[in-house]
C-alpha cells in the first residue's frame, strides 16, 4: 500500500497520533512525526526508529520543513481550532493532501467555511474530521441513504460503554466551550441554531445486544457538520449514551488504560445511523473497540484512497462525499463490525 511513501503526522506523539503512526507503518508508509514538543518527538522517534521534525503552528517555515518531501499530512494535534488553519496552509503550499481527525465543531465549520472554494479552485484535497466522530458517522449515513437523493432527517446515536477522555479531548472540549460560550449548537431546518436550554434526556433503541438505553439528545458532534455539506438532509441530530456523556465531562473520570498490547482500551462502541424519508427509514450500524484506536484505520484508509486516486471530488470534502461509502466501510471490517442492510429503526 504505502510502498515507503513518507507521510507527515502532526501531533504524532499524542494518544491518537501514536495509533495513526503505527497504522501507517503497518500499511507500508514511512510516518514522519512532527509537532511542537521536541522532547516528546525525540522519545517517539527513538522508540520507533524514525527521525522527527519539530514544528509549530506559530512558525510557518517550520511547518514547511516538516512537510518537505512528504506525500501528505495527517493532523492529529488538538486543539484543532489552533492547528487546522496553519497546517492546511502549509499543505497547500506544499501541494499535498491534508487530512485531520478533528472532532471540534467550530474547527470543522471553519475548515469548510474558509477553504472549500479555494481548495476546489486549486485542485487540492482536504478531508476534515476523518475520525470516529465525523468520518465514521458520515460514512454510515451516506451508506444508509443508498439511492435516495434527499431525506427528511438523519440521526446518529452513539452507545459507548464508557468514555475516558484523553488530555487532548479535554483540551479540545475546553476550547470549544470557550468559543461557544453558554450556547450549544444543533442543526434544524437546514441551518445552525444556538440554544441555551439543556439538551434533552431521551431513550434510543440500539440494535442488540445493546438495546434500549438512555441518551443525551442533540449531543452535537462533528457528523452534524459533515453530513449537511453533501447530503440534502435538513435535520441532522447526534445522540450520546448518557453514561458516556457524564464520563466525558466529569473531572473525576479516570484516564484511559490499555487493555492489550496495541494500547487499545476495553471501551466498546456501537454507532447507529438512521435516515428517514416520509414514513420510510434506513439504518446502518458499526461496532467495535476503542474510539481513539479505530480512528487510525479510518484516516489511514482515507489516505490510501486519496493517494491512489479512489476519490470522487476535490476541495474540502467529508468522507461520504469523497469516497464510496459502502466500499470504504467494508474495507474497515477487520476493525469494525458492520450492518449495512437498510431496515426499520425504532427510536
Amino acid at each position: 500500500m504505502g510502498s515507503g511513501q513518507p507521510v507527515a503526522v502532526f501531533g504524532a506523539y499524542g494518544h491518537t497520533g501514536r495509533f495513526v503512526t503505527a497504522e501507517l507503518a503497518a500499511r507500508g508508509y514511512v510516518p514522519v512525526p512532527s509537532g511542537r514538543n521536541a522532547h516528546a518527538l525525540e522519545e517517539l522517534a527513538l522508540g520507533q526508529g524514525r527521525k522527527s521534525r519539530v514544528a509549530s503552528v506559530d512558525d510557518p517555515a517550520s511547518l514547511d520543513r516538516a512537510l518537505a518531501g512528504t506525500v501528505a499530512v495527517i493532523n492529529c494535534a488538538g486543539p484543532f481550532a489552533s492547528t487546522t488553519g496553519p497546517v492546511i496552509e502549509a499543505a497547500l503550499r506544499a501541494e499535498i493532501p491534508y487530512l485531520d481527525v478533528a472532532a471540534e465543531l467550530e474547527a470543522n465549520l471553519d475548515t469548510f467555511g474558509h477553504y472549500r472554494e479555494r481548495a476546489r479552485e486549486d485542485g487540492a484535497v482536504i478531508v476534515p474530521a476523518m475520525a470516529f466522530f465525523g468520518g465514521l458517522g458520515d460514512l454510515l449515513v451516506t451508506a444508509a441513504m443508498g439511492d435516495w437523493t434527499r431525506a427528511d432527517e438523519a440521526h446518529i446515536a452513539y452507545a459507548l460503554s464508557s468514555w475516558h477522555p484523553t488530555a487532548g479531548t479535554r483540551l479540545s472540549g475546553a476550547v470549544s466551550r470557550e468559543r461557544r460560550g453558554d450556547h450549544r449548537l444543533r442543526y434544524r431546518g437546514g441551518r445552525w441554531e444556538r440554544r441555551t436550554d439543556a439538551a434533552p434526556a431521551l431513550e434510543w433503541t440500539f440494535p442488540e445486544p445493546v438495546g434500549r438505553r438512555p441518551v443525551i439528545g442533540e449531543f452535537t458532534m462533528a457528523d452534524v457538520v459533515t453530513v449537511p455539506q453533501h447530503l440534502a438532509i435538513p435535520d441532522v441530530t447526534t445522540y450520546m449514551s448518557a453514561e458516556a456523556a457524564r464520563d466525558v465531562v466529569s473531572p473525576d473520570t479516570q484516564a484511559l488504560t490499555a487493555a492489550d498490547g496495541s494500547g487499545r482500551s476495553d471501551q466498546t462502541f456501537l454507532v447507529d445511523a438512521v435516515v428517514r424519508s416520509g414514513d420510510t427509514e434506513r439504518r446502518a450500524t458499526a461496532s467495535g473497540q476503542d474510539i481513539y484506536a479505530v480512528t487510525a484505520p479510518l484516516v489511514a484508509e482515507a489516505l490510501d484512497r486519496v493517494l491512489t486516486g479512489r476519490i470522487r471530488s476535490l476541495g474540502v470534502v467529508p468522507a461520504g462525499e469523497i469516497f464510496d461509502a459502502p466500499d470504504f466501510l467494508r474495507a474497515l471490517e477487520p476493525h469494525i463490525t458492520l450492518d449495512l442492510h437498510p431496515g426499520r429503526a425504532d427510536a
Side-chain angles (χ1 to χ4, degrees), residues 65-126:
R65 291 192 294 271
L67 271 55
T70 63
V71 296
V73 58
I74 299 175
N75 183 6
C76 300
F80 291 93
S82 301
T83 65
T84 51
V87 182
I88 288 173
E89 291 288 351
L92 291 172
R93 291 193 297 272
E95 299 182 345
I96 59 175
Y98 167 96
L99 303 90
D100 70 37
V101 298
E104 296 168 31
L105 300 183
E106 295 80 7
N108 287 310
L109 286 167
D110 286 349
T111 297
F112 283 106
H114 295 163
Y115 291 102
R116 190 152 201 173
E117 293 305 319
R118 177 179 165 191
R120 185 181 292 117
E121 291 172 0
D122 291 349
V125 174
I126 296 173

Side-chain angles (χ1 to χ4, degrees), residues 117-268:
E117 293 305 319
R118 177 179 165 191
R120 185 181 292 117
E121 291 172 0
D122 291 349
V125 174
I126 296 173
V127 188
M130 196 60 240
F132 177 81
F133 291 118
L136 181 56
D138 189 272
L139 289 163
L140 289 169
V141 169
T142 306
M145 283 282 286
D147 58 357
W148 286 355
T149 57
R150 61 191 311 108
D152 298 321
E153 302 171 347
H155 302 267
I156 307 162
Y158 291 95
L160 308 186
S161 61
S162 62
W163 191 353
H164 296 269
T166 64
T169 295
R170 289 195 184 278
L171 181 57
S172 291
V175 170
S176 286
R177 287 190 296 274
E178 183 178 349
R179 291 186 65 179
R180 201 177 305 149
D182 295 330
H183 297 82
R184 62 183 181 85
L185 295 175
R186 74 173 186 179
Y187 191 79
R188 288 286 186 277
R191 64 185 182 87
W192 286 98
E193 296 179 355
R194 292 169 62 86
R195 308 278 299 190
T196 56
D197 57 337
L202 306 168
E203 289 193 337
W204 184 273
T205 301
F206 293 90
E208 293 299 334
V210 175
R212 196 163 185 85
R213 294 292 178 87
V215 297
I216 302 302
E218 301 175 10
F219 194 90
T220 306
M221 303 301 293
D223 329 71
V224 185
V225 176
T226 61
V227 167
Q229 298 290 334
H230 67 107
L231 296 175
I233 307 177
D235 291 354
V236 183
T237 308
T238 46
Y239 308 77
M240 180 60 63
S241 50
E243 185 176 359
R246 289 192 293 270
D247 283 347
V248 76
V249 299
S250 172
D252 299 324
T253 302
Q254 295 181 351
L256 280 166
T257 57
D260 60 33
S262 72
R264 291 192 308 173
S265 71
D266 61 3
Q267 176 202 54
T268 60

Side-chain angles (χ1 to χ4, degrees), residues 9-23 74-77 80 101 130-132 166 168-169 256 290-296 299:
V9 182
F10 191 70
Y13 44 76
H15 185 79
T16 302
R18 289 174 182 268
F19 283 120
V20 170
T21 57
E23 180 70 19
I74 299 175
N75 183 6
C76 300
F80 291 93
V101 298
M130 196 60 240
F132 177 81
T166 64
T169 295
L256 280 166
D290 195 323
I291 63 174
Y292 297 105
V294 81
T295 287
V299 74

Side-chain angles (χ1 to χ4, degrees), residues 17-54:
R18 289 174 182 268
F19 283 120
V20 170
T21 57
E23 180 70 19
L24 291 176
R27 290 174 178 245
Y29 294 99
V30 177
V32 180
S34 180
R36 66 182 180 184
N37 189 324
H39 179 68
L41 276 176
E42 183 179 359
E43 286 188 340
L44 179 67
L46 287 173
Q48 297 181 342
R50 301 187 180 97
K51 292 184 178 180
S52 62
R53 300 176 181 179
V54 178

